[in-house]
């Protein structure tokens, strides 16, 4: 081998060895943690590769804080969305304090609205409840049960909240504002299913085992609202769904009152009040997102609405009726508890509340979504009216429900 070639090869090998040594374990003295130093020296030796060279190669510094921040950002599917929601975390803290109720003795509990079976007059209290419930027709029971089953699937909904990037509770007791909101919201929602479940049991008008089977099926099946782990989509969905739930519970209470069940009306009104408070919080979260990233939220809002809002109980089944959700929804529609008109009205409420039509400075893509979203309520209302008018002309088809001992509604 010519001497010049050998010299060149030696230089290349020396260069490669130097670079390689920068990413191998240095001496134990270098790897030892010292004040102002870092354990990361076990993989990067700054005496071989300068900070600037490392930044040029990897795009990040090699100190603990910079790498942690880099890993945090690259771990998310929606890093920009996470940055936005982290920016208004102080507002979330305020929501925890102002929107959520105090826990313990100062909070309402299901037992406040039910007969006290430990009291001397427990039998009279229970008889009063059952007498008031005796006049409620089967179609109202079906809708009440459907609403209760939806509430009892709460474990699925908390699981959903913990999939929203930047809003999770990774250890179960995380002290972030988002984790505190998630746990507080869940604790309040937990009362709804408990209260309705006990009311139905005491009424003696429904097949509780069939209902329990339905609840277990629904929790096992889960549901996918199309949030895709995106906090923007998640809060858009909850803004819609909390309002829908408020409307449904409130209307069931109004119908119950017409049949003399004032205690049930009081129960439904209390639950609807909770849903209304939660609705305000989620809509406030979206308002804050709009202040910081209007383009981003509008793009997700439009896409979410193209797929329509998935109802949380759409996978419900009692193991017998494969069309249980559709049949339950049809009864709710006929009673006017929750209708296609309500769906259109909720979209209109959100458009008005967030002043979607007044947003300016948008990208061309976001402007198209703005126009689409603002036109949606009227489009849905026309379709709903057409569909409801057609159903009035059609003969009402009744279905049997295991929840009411296979009677038809």
């Amino acid at each position: 081998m010519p001497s010049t070639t050998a010299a060149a090869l030696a230089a290349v090998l020396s260069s490669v060895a130097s670079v390689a040594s920068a990413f191998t374990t240095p001496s134990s003295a270098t790897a030892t943690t010292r004040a102002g130093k870092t354990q990361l020296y076990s993989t990067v030796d700054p005496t071989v590769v300068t900070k600037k060279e490392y930044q040029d190669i990897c795009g990040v510094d090699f100190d603990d804080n910079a790498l942690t921040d880099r890993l945090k950002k690259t771990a998310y599917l929606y890093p920009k969305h996470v940055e936005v929601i982290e920016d208004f975390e102080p507002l979330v803290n305020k929501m925890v304090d102002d929107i959520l109720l105090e826990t313990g003795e100062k909070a309402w509990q299901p037992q406040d609205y039910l007969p006290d079976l430990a009291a001397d007059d427990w039998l009279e209290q229970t008889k009063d409840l059952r007498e008031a419930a005796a006049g409620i027709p089967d179609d109202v029971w079906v809708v009440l049960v459907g609403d209760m089953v939806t509430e009892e699937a709460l474990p699925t909904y908390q699981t959903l909240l913990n999939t929203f990037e930047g809003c999770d509770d990774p250890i179960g007791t995380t002290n972030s504002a988002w984790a505190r909101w998630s746990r507080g919201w869940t604790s309040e929602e937990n009362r709804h299913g408990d209260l309705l479940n006990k009311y139905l049991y005491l009424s003696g008008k429904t097949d509780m085992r069939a209902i329990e089977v339905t609840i277990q099926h629904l929790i096992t099946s889960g549901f996918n609202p199309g949030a895709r782990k995106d906090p923007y989509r998640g809060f858009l969905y909850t803004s819609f769904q909390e309002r829908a739930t408020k409307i449904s519970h409130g209307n069931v209470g109004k119908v119950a009152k017409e049949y003399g069940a004032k205690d049930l009306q009081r129960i439904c009104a209390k639950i609807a009040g909770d849903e209304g408070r939660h609705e305000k919080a989620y809509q406030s979260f979206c308002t804050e997102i709009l202040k910081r990233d209007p383009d981003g939220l509008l793009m997700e809002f439009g896409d979410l609405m193209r797929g329509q809002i998935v109802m949380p109980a759409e996978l419900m089944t009692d193991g017998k009726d494969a069309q249980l959700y559709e049949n339950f929804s049809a009864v709710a529609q006929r009673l006017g508890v929750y209708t296609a008109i309500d769906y259109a009205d909720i979209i209109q409420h959100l458009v008005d509340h967030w002043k979607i039509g007044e947003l300016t400075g948008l990208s061309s893509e976001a402007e198209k979504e703005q126009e689409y979203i603002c036109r949606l309520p009227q489009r849905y209302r026309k379709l709903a009216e057409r569909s409801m008018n057609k159903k009035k002309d059609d003969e009402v088809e009744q279905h049997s429900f295991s929840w009411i001992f296979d009677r038809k509604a």
Side-chain angles (χ1 to χ4, degrees):
M1 179 183 295
S3 59
T4 54
T5 303
L9 179 59
V12 170
L13 290 174
S14 175
S15 174
V16 170
S18 296
V19 173
S21 68
F23 295 92
T24 57
T25 304
S27 66
S28 58
T30 306
T32 304
T33 303
R34 299 185 291 268
K37 302 275 182 155
T38 170
Q39 293 279 16
L40 292 172
Y41 287 167
S42 62
T43 56
V44 179
D45 186 349
T47 63
V48 177
V49 176
T50 68
K51 182 178 291 190
K52 185 178 185 309
E53 288 172 332
Y54 189 84
Q55 288 173 329
D56 289 342
I57 295 169
C58 300
V60 63
D61 200 352
F62 51 70
D63 64 74
D64 279 336
N65 292 336
L67 279 178
T68 298
D69 185 58
R70 175 73 171 181
L71 290 171
K72 181 179 178 182
K73 290 179 179 178
T74 56
Y76 291 125
L77 293 173
Y78 312 97
K80 180 179 179 180
H81 295 186
V82 174
E83 288 181 9
V84 168
I85 65 168
E86 286 179 345
D87 189 55
F88 62 87
E89 193 162 321
L91 172 74
V92 184
N93 267 319
K94 189 173 187 301
M95 290 296 175
V96 172
D97 296 333
D98 296 348
I99 295 291
L100 295 180
L101 302 177
E102 293 186 61
T103 57
E105 292 298 321
K106 294 184 178 181
W108 74 264
Q109 300 299 336
Q111 189 53 51
D112 299 337
Y113 298 85
L114 297 166
D116 182 0
L117 301 187
D120 292 338
D121 64 341
W122 68 270
L123 186 57
E124 288 74 15
Q125 291 182 41
T126 305
K127 284 181 177 178
D128 289 342
L129 181 149
R130 292 169 73 99
E131 287 175 3
I136 298 175
D138 282 342
D139 51 359
V140 179
W141 287 116
V142 166
V143 176
L144 182 62
V145 170
D147 282 355
M148 183 274 276
V149 169
T150 303
E151 294 285 357
E152 288 282 55
L154 180 61
T156 303
Y157 314 143
Q158 186 177 31
T159 299
L160 172 67
L161 278 180
N162 275 322
T163 68
F164 300 166
E165 291 190 341
C167 308
D168 59 337
D169 183 6
I171 65 172
T173 56
T174 306
N175 197 39
S176 69
W178 289 111
R180 289 172 57 230
W181 167 264
S182 174
R183 294 196 301 269
W185 173 87
T186 302
S187 73
E188 292 197 354
E189 290 281 336
N190 186 62
R191 300 175 300 185
H192 303 168
D194 282 355
L195 177 51
L196 294 175
N197 195 319
K198 291 173 182 176
Y199 176 86
L200 289 169
Y201 172 73
L202 291 172
S203 75
K205 301 291 287 186
T206 59
D207 185 336
M208 293 306 298
R209 192 177 195 284
I211 294 170
E212 290 162 354
V213 167
T214 307
I215 295 168
Q216 187 172 14
H217 275 303
L218 181 57
I219 295 174
T220 301
S221 298
F223 91 115
N224 177 12
R228 304 174 188 169
K229 301 180 70 174
D230 184 350
Y232 286 16
R233 297 174 72 90
F235 295 143
L236 285 164
Y237 178 83
T238 49
S239 293
F240 185 104
Q241 192 55 46
E242 291 283 5
R243 188 170 183 83
T245 309
K246 177 186 74 172
I247 291 169
S248 182
H249 284 303
N251 285 338
V252 170
K254 292 174 184 176
V255 175
K257 185 178 180 181
E258 293 175 7
Y259 292 99
K262 294 183 179 180
D263 50 352
L264 179 56
Q265 187 273 333
R266 186 165 164 252
I267 287 171
C268 291
K270 192 65 179 178
I271 294 173
D274 275 3
E275 306 293 5
R277 285 187 295 104
H278 300 161
E279 170 200 355
K280 290 179 181 178
Y282 287 118
Q283 290 174 11
S284 294
F285 297 161
C286 288
T287 297
E288 294 302 315
I289 294 172
L290 279 171
K291 292 176 182 178
R292 295 161 173 81
D293 185 16
D295 281 18
L297 190 74
L298 288 184
M299 297 302 292
E300 299 303 337
F301 194 6
D303 186 66
L304 189 66
M305 294 312 302
R306 283 184 177 87
Q308 297 192 339
I309 295 295
V310 176
M311 294 297 115
E314 71 164 11
L315 296 181
M316 70 162 56
T317 178
D318 57 359
K320 300 176 182 178
D321 185 358
Q323 302 296 316
L324 181 57
Y325 177 76
E326 289 76 7
N327 295 334
F328 149 68
S329 296
V331 176
Q333 174 97 3
R334 287 199 300 270
L335 276 180
V337 166
Y338 183 76
T339 70
I341 295 293
D342 291 317
Y343 187 96
D345 287 346
I346 293 173
I347 301 174
Q348 185 67 66
H349 168 79
L350 296 177
V351 169
D352 294 342
H353 181 75
W354 292 324
K355 297 180 172 60
I356 299 295
E358 300 176 22
L359 295 174
T360 58
L362 303 172
S363 67
S364 58
E365 292 83 0
E367 285 180 347
K368 292 177 183 177
E369 292 301 291
Q370 179 186 40
E371 182 180 357
Y372 166 74
I373 293 165
C374 290
R375 292 170 59 186
L376 267 183
Q378 188 59 30
R379 288 176 57 191
Y380 272 117
R381 191 171 290 108
K382 287 181 179 179
L383 290 172
E385 290 171 351
R386 190 183 310 161
S387 174
M388 292 172 71
N389 288 334
K390 183 179 182 301
K391 288 180 179 179
K392 286 180 182 178
D393 298 332
D394 295 339
E395 183 177 345
V396 175
E397 182 180 359
Q398 292 191 323
H399 298 275
S400 62
F401 290 86
S402 62
W403 303 337
I404 51 173
F405 302 100
D406 293 321
R407 296 192 300 273
K408 290 187 175 183

